[in-house]
Amino acid sequence: VGMVFLPQNEERRNAVKKVIEEVCEKNELKFLGWREVPVDADSLGPMAKAAVPSMWQMFVKAPERLNDDEETRDGFERTLYLVRRRIAVELHDAGLGWEDNNDDEVYFASFSSQTIVYKGMVQGCVLPQFYKDLQNPDYTTKFVIYHRRFSTNTNPRWPLAQPMRVVGHNGEINTLIGNVNWVKAREKSKTLPAEKLNDLVDAENTDNIVM
């Protein structure tokens, strides 16, 4: 399941969706469809409401050749990561990335077979009011991580809200640059085409976006 912030502009949103679907299909992920996430925009404050993206979930199916075991599931998670990075590269090349237009966010809050991230530029108590899924008694989970943190040295943005895809944190991640450099140094050892090496990590954004 992918939790995606898409542009409010329908034409731009459809263009983004097309790129996402094409990248998934090219990487052996059968694209199953889109779901518009039910939200209550009236629960938002003026700043958040003015910038709120269009919230969507996307569904893909793992390749038939994969087995249902722990090692395979970990491999599938790595595939989803690489596909998400490939989508970001393709959207950037097409002028559709979220950094290209501040009024039309394109951002993956999560893309995983194990987790779904609901987050927003809101106070913690507003989150279940905004996302109607979180009010639905039929929507259950075995495990939840809740985290909130207010922006300090950056302007608030929907993509920058906590938690991140794999972590919630309070402050700068001191080891991030070292790890990014380590990945960049090992790029040539990867059995990937040269044009796909940039898919491995996004070193141009904040630690929140990179995570």
Side-chain angles (χ1 to χ4, degrees):
V1 180
M3 187 74 165
V4 196
F5 296 176
L6 293 178
Q8 285 287 0
N9 179 276
E10 184 176 5
E11 182 178 355
R12 183 179 174 91
R13 183 168 66 243
N14 288 337
V16 170
K17 284 183 175 181
K18 183 179 180 182
V19 171
I20 291 173
E21 292 172 19
E22 289 175 350
V23 173
C24 288
E25 294 288 352
K26 288 178 181 177
N27 287 273
E28 298 185 86
L29 298 179
K30 181 176 176 56
F31 195 88
L32 300 178
W34 292 94
R35 172 188 182 243
E36 186 170 10
V37 178
V39 298
D40 179 11
D42 291 334
S43 65
L44 301 176
M47 179 181 284
K49 191 172 185 179
V52 63
S54 183
M55 305 298 183
W56 291 77
Q57 287 175 344
M58 51 175 280
F59 302 88
V60 299
K61 184 178 180 181
E64 296 288 348
R65 57 182 170 77
L66 296 185
N67 298 319
D68 188 15
D69 56 53
E70 185 173 350
E71 183 178 352
T72 300
R73 286 193 292 271
D74 287 344
F76 183 46
E77 285 295 302
R78 288 193 293 271
T79 296
L80 293 176
Y81 168 79
L82 289 173
V83 170
R84 176 173 61 78
R85 287 292 306 127
R86 187 68 221 165
I87 289 170
V89 170
E90 293 287 344
L91 289 174
H92 181 271
D93 291 347
L96 296 169
W98 77 275
E99 70 275 20
D100 295 305
N101 187 328
N102 290 341
D103 296 326
D104 279 320
E105 307 284 17
V106 179
Y107 175 76
F108 275 78
S110 58
F111 189 28
S112 171
S113 63
Q114 301 175 353
T115 62
I116 303 176
V117 173
Y118 288 83
K119 70 175 188 174
M121 198 173 75
V122 298
Q123 295 184 21
C125 60
V126 176
L127 198 68
Q129 299 174 31
F130 177 66
Y131 287 111
K132 295 183 179 180
D133 284 348
L134 304 182
Q135 306 170 29
N136 188 339
D138 294 329
Y139 191 65
T140 62
T141 181
K142 294 181 179 180
F143 187 76
V144 172
I145 293 178
Y146 171 80
H147 180 70
R148 69 176 181 176
R149 175 176 179 246
F150 297 99
S151 179
T152 52
N153 59 352
T154 57
N155 290 327
R157 299 282 299 277
W158 279 85
L160 298 181
Q162 293 281 351
M164 297 302 107
R165 303 177 187 102
V166 296
V167 68
H169 69 97
N170 291 309
E172 301 302 315
I173 301 175
N174 297 327
T175 60
L176 180 66
I177 296 301
N179 284 316
V180 167
N181 288 337
W182 183 243
V183 171
K184 300 295 286 184
R186 296 178 65 196
E187 281 182 347
K188 297 301 183 182
S189 69
K190 302 299 181 183
T191 56
L192 290 173
E195 68 272 11
K196 288 191 175 182
L197 286 175
N198 288 335
D199 295 6
L200 296 178
V201 66
D202 178 4
E204 298 181 359
N205 273 301
T206 68
D207 57 353
N208 288 345
I209 296 298
V210 173
M211 294 299 291

